[in-house]
Amino acid sequence: MKEDKLELRYIPLSQARRWDENPKLHDLEALTQSIERHGFGDPPKYDGTLDALVYGNGRTEALERLHQAGGKPPRGILLTAKKEWAVPVIFGVDASSREAALAFAVDHNNLTLLGGGLGFTDLTAIWQEEGLQGVLEQIPDAGELLTTLDSTQVDALLQGPDFDPVAGDEQSRLDEKKTVECPECGHEFEP
């Protein structure tokens, strides 16, 4: 029986297999600067079911850029006997299916944005829109597998680029109310 545990291993950076279909947007300049300043302390995770990094793709790409630029390895990155950069990667607790791995990749990034209910609600802002639609199309039960997007939001995302989950929720609330109150003067009017 396979033991479900996590393991941190250093592997050559050249063997860190990024998820090619990852639709998440990355600020590679900011990631590079952060790694140079603070070191590499947030390891990516490899998922055997996905056969790629399920998260940490942007950090890994930033490391690749640093390496290609000829810089020295930042803190947290080791050198192999062949003087290759070695990156720490988390292995284990793989998804039960490809669909579950894709759902986890979306949720993992969205949960960072939710941040304890601080009000950031545009969970689609960090995704390349067509890429996110492509990923969701590969998850037949996305509305059930995802914890950060419900079935209505998934359906709307799959319908096209004008989806705004906040506006959709607000419209639902407006449809339920007979009047709306102006936030500045308190005047009530029909929507």
Side-chain angles (χ1 to χ4, degrees):
M1 178 179 191
K2 181 182 161 197
E3 189 174 353
D4 281 333
K5 68 176 185 174
L6 295 174
E7 181 181 334
L8 182 71
R9 286 188 254 158
Y10 274 85
I11 65 169
L13 179 58
S14 62
Q15 292 178 17
R17 185 179 225 144
R18 287 190 284 126
W19 175 32
D20 292 333
E21 298 172 20
N22 182 14
K24 174 140 182 314
L25 300 170
H26 298 102
D27 184 340
L28 291 172
E29 183 63 33
L31 284 169
T32 301
Q33 289 175 7
S34 177
I35 292 168
E36 287 177 316
R37 179 174 294 144
H38 304 292
F40 193 83
D42 190 7
K45 182 180 183 304
Y46 175 83
D47 187 289
T49 305
L50 187 62
D51 193 27
L53 298 178
V54 72
Y55 62 76
N57 289 275
R59 293 185 300 279
T60 303
E61 187 174 350
L63 273 178
E64 290 168 354
R65 286 183 173 202
L66 282 170
H67 183 261
Q68 290 168 357
K72 67 178 190 173
R75 289 182 18 216
I77 301 302
L78 303 178
L79 286 175
T80 68
K82 296 179 180 180
K83 304 295 183 200
E84 293 179 88
W85 284 21
V87 59
V89 176
I90 299 169
F91 290 85
V93 191
D94 295 334
S96 59
S97 67
R98 179 172 170 73
E99 293 81 10
L102 296 174
F104 175 69
V106 172
D107 276 346
H108 184 271
N109 287 289
N110 284 346
L111 287 167
T112 300
L113 292 177
L114 290 172
L118 298 175
F120 190 85
T121 56
D122 186 4
L123 297 178
T124 61
I126 63 169
W127 302 99
Q128 187 275 333
E129 194 168 309
E130 290 177 7
L132 179 58
Q133 288 171 340
V135 169
L136 294 176
E137 288 169 355
Q138 296 178 56
I139 309 172
D141 297 321
E144 295 174 24
L145 284 174
L146 292 164
T147 57
T148 56
L149 296 172
D150 63 29
S151 295
T152 304
Q153 293 168 318
V154 170
D155 290 344
L157 278 165
L158 292 172
Q159 289 174 13
D162 296 328
F163 172 67
D164 180 353
V166 177
D169 291 348
E170 183 63 24
Q171 188 60 50
S172 297
R173 286 191 290 277
L174 289 175
D175 290 344
E176 293 172 10
K177 292 179 85 173
K178 298 291 183 215
T179 60
V180 176
E181 184 177 311
C182 173
E184 292 184 22
C185 68
H187 175 74
E188 290 189 5
F189 60 94
E190 289 186 31

